[in-house]
Amino acid sequence: MGKWKTCYNESRKYKKEWEEQFKWLTFRGDKCYCKVCNATIKTMKTSNLDLHEKTAKHMKNSDTKPILKIQSNLGKSNKSKTEEFEIKYTVSEANVVSEDGTATSTTNPAVPGKEVLNPANIGFIGCGNMAQALLNAFIRKGLIDPSHVMASAPSDRNLTKLRSLGVKTTHDNNEVVKHSDVIFLCVKPHHLTDMIGDLNALERSHNPLFVSIITGFDIKTLEEMLTALIDYPRVIRLMPNTPSMVGQGCCVYTLGSHTPEAYNEVMNSMLSSIGLSAEIPEYQMDAACGLAGSGPAYIYAAIEALADGGVKMGLPRQLAQTLAAQMVKGAATMVLESGKHPGQLKDEVCSPGGTTIAAMHSLEKNGLRNALISAVEASALRSKELGTKK
Ligand SMILES: NC(=O)c1ccc[n+]([C@@H]2O[C@H](COP(=O)([O-])OP(=O)(O)OC[C@H]3O[C@@H](n4cnc5c(N)ncnc54)[C@H](OP(=O)(O)O)[C@@H]3O)[C@@H](O)[C@H]2O)c1
């Protein structure tokens, strides 16, 4: 009897529980199938079943949003009893995967839904550009109920906008901490030390997850700082980017040393609903900041310059800008969907003696590649530097 058979027989013992957890799962004879796409299910590991829910075939045949049930003691103390909650999440083009785990694309629209991360209360300390990008995206995707969110900032500059979404607001960061199971730390790096210094120690029964999006501050430093509030603080370091707001974000994260593995699934489910999400080793964080965190600004500048070129050569401004943006989106989609090396795609546009190779020569002379590599390097080094200036 092979490994699968043992695993399968084991799972049959818990048939009812499995079917309860994965509504699409069914047992027929000595095999297990997906009711939605009729696929045979070969391994009963939870991670594989989660993966199956995200396959293009399953998504195509499913008219409901996939349901991910996670056992977690979110927001409770280490000793508290396990509590079950449900996350429903939408799948955007960036995060549909095939059975073998490789990325594929889909034309499935994201399925709107009102189900929320429940019963978690979410807090945001600092509510500027990045916090609003995340919060708006979570609300729009139906992951967070605004009435479960509390946000704080010193002024009303940003809070007013959040109030109009139904989010509770305050100028007192301690209120946010008290209210929340998951707390996003979204202040500028130079405000972090003072901000944490002003927080009160937590009740022993309250051990929330702190998700820091603050550039440069590593897990060890964050944990040391938060130890003033609670022993063994639960921390995730997250590097998001602003296109998360339109469901096309790049979010990478690292779990802290006291953070239960269950939070990996929680984070991944939340973030994959607003673009690409991946857990990465912490030493890659500064580089990820240089590329994906700061990157949208490089491309905005490129789109603006390309539009200027179009205008210079006679196109109306609005048309030039739309063509530039759509062209960038199209080229990025080609890279993601074709699986071809960008150099090969470039070669395919450059006909001998043609217009594009003439333009490529001009870009080489003006140092386009050098400029972009240097930009990523500069941002990554600055991220490292910000983390050392406490
Ligand atoms: N923007 C990005 O693309 C991006 C990408 C990745 C990571 N990040 C990181 O995200 C963090 C926030 O960046 P951002 O661009 O969103 O900055 P931002 O727009 O300037 O927002 C900062 C927010 O922090 C608030 N704040 C300042 N001091 C505070 C305090 N003591 N307590 C509570 N709130 C306080 C500000 O309050 P007011 O509303 O009163 O001004 C504001 O709401 C930074 O650490 C940055 O490194 C940003």
Side-chain angles (χ1 to χ4, degrees), residues 103-223:
T104 64
S105 66
T106 176
T107 49
N108 276 5
V111 192
K114 286 280 162 267
E115 292 79 8
V116 293
L117 177 63
N118 185 29
N121 286 323
I122 313 289
F124 281 80
I125 298 185
C127 308
N129 296 321
M130 198 59 242
Q132 285 182 49
L134 287 175
L135 184 50
N136 278 309
F138 292 148
I139 291 174
R140 266 197 344 178
K141 290 289 180 179
L143 261 171
I144 289 182
D145 178 340
S147 68
H148 287 207
V149 181
M150 185 182 281
S152 63
S155 78
D156 274 333
R157 200 168 62 90
N158 290 295
L159 292 184
T160 315
K161 288 179 233 162
L162 298 187
R163 277 198 285 274
S164 68
L165 297 173
V167 167
K168 296 185 203 91
T169 64
T170 172
H171 297 302
D172 180 356
N173 297 335
N174 277 301
E175 252 194 85
V176 172
V177 175
K178 221 188 274 173
H179 160 274
S180 310
D181 305 307
V182 180
I183 300 157
F184 286 84
L185 304 178
C186 304
V187 299
K188 289 283 190 199
H190 60 276
H191 286 139
L192 183 68
T193 308
D194 287 348
M195 187 274 281
I196 292 184
D198 289 340
L199 294 177
N200 300 330
L202 297 174
E203 304 270 329
R204 284 190 73 78
S205 58
H206 183 45
N207 190 358
L209 174 69
F210 291 91
V211 182
S212 165
I213 68 162
I214 295 152
T215 304
F217 279 76
D218 61 19
I219 290 279
K220 188 165 172 279
T221 310
L222 291 162
E223 284 178 346

